[in-house]
Amino acid sequence: MRKRPRQERSQQMVETLIEATARCVTKYGLEGVTTPKIAEVAGVSVGSLYQYFDDKQALIEALLEQKTREMIENLHKLVVDLDSDDLAHIVHESILFGFSLFRQEDGLYLEIARNWHRLPIQKMIDTMQNYSLDFGRLYFLKFYQKYPIENLHVRFFIIVNSTLFTMTQHLNAPQSMIKEQEIIDGLTQMVVGYLQMENPIKPMPE
């Protein structure tokens, strides 16, 4: 981002441009998005857009950051509202929540999933991993007697990446014979089983 928004008017301009980017992605797909189209949807000149963002890539990155924050906030609210100590239930509902995002009618998250390999998503994944780890630490500290887990940071790194990969692969294969519910159930069993496994991170024998 070129110009850091300090005043309310500038902050509003940034929000408007990010929202316009989301609408363009939904309407044209990532391939069809251009800065002139974003500026037109935002109701500003291309010159005004370039005062805040260098190019289309910078706008896409800002959109991904915003959607990641929103996703984490909503996921956190979901988990808190569940108010459950049942690990399988929490994992199942979290994965179901992820699929529900991809199925939203505007198709924004689905378009992101379809182009996952071409997007600057590392920061997005890092943010999700950090949230998962922070939540996991609090959860497993609270229920340590029930779930005495070691190497939590390694487990969550593997869980987040493998879960996202599986979900995006399924979403990118619309003709798949595997049903979405089967993916949800399978991922739930995999995640819970791995979290409950006793110290799976052991050195390989020489």
Side-chain angles (χ1 to χ4, degrees):
M1 188 181 295
R2 282 185 174 180
K3 187 176 179 181
R4 291 290 174 184
R6 292 186 174 85
Q7 298 180 351
E8 184 178 346
R9 183 176 178 183
S10 295
Q11 292 173 352
Q12 183 59 50
M13 174 64 79
V14 168
E15 290 299 318
T16 298
L17 289 169
I18 293 174
E19 175 59 29
T21 303
R23 290 167 61 189
C24 283
V25 170
T26 298
K27 184 175 182 179
Y28 302 111
L30 277 166
E31 283 293 328
V33 174
T34 63
T35 48
K37 287 178 180 176
I38 294 171
E40 180 181 1
V41 170
V44 301
S45 67
V46 176
S48 295
L49 181 154
Y50 285 133
Q51 289 181 15
Y52 295 90
F53 294 96
D54 289 326
D55 50 26
K56 165 187 166 178
Q57 184 79 355
L59 280 156
I60 295 296
E61 288 181 10
L63 174 63
L64 288 176
E65 288 180 17
Q66 182 192 75
K67 292 304 174 183
T68 302
R69 288 196 303 271
E70 290 178 3
M71 179 172 57
I72 287 175
E73 288 171 4
N74 290 330
L75 180 58
H76 181 76
K77 183 178 184 303
L78 169 72
V79 173
V80 170
D81 289 346
L82 286 175
D83 191 25
S84 173
D85 66 348
D86 186 335
L87 183 59
H89 183 52
I90 292 174
V91 172
H92 180 274
E93 293 303 306
S94 297
I95 295 171
L96 188 62
F97 167 80
F99 271 108
S100 72
L101 289 180
F102 291 123
R103 299 304 185 198
Q104 287 181 356
E105 290 184 6
D106 64 5
L108 177 62
Y109 284 98
L110 187 57
E111 180 66 13
I112 291 172
R114 285 171 175 164
N115 293 274
W116 193 260
H117 60 291
R118 298 169 51 243
L119 289 170
I121 48 86
Q122 190 55 53
K123 186 182 293 186
M124 187 177 187
I125 292 177
D126 289 344
T127 302
M128 294 174 67
Q129 285 173 179
N130 289 335
Y131 165 75
S132 299
L133 186 56
D134 288 343
F135 172 78
R137 283 175 177 147
L138 292 173
Y139 179 85
F140 292 114
L141 180 63
K142 183 178 179 181
F143 301 107
Y144 184 76
Q145 296 299 321
K146 188 174 182 179
Y147 304 114
I149 292 181
E150 301 176 14
N151 299 306
L152 198 60
H153 63 294
V154 177
R155 299 195 199 205
F156 272 102
F157 177 87
I158 293 170
I159 286 168
V160 169
N161 282 276
S162 58
T163 300
L164 287 174
F165 178 80
T166 301
M167 291 174 70
T168 53
Q169 285 293 101
H170 178 69
L171 290 163
N172 285 322
Q175 303 303 318
S176 173
M177 298 298 291
I178 304 174
K179 296 179 181 179
E180 186 174 294
Q181 189 58 53
E182 292 175 323
I183 297 291
I184 294 170
D185 293 342
L187 283 172
T188 300
Q189 293 171 20
M190 180 193 76
V191 171
V192 173
Y194 183 48
L195 284 173
Q196 293 180 335
M197 187 184 300
E198 182 179 352
N199 192 22
I201 317 298
K202 295 180 180 179
M204 295 294 292
E206 296 183 359

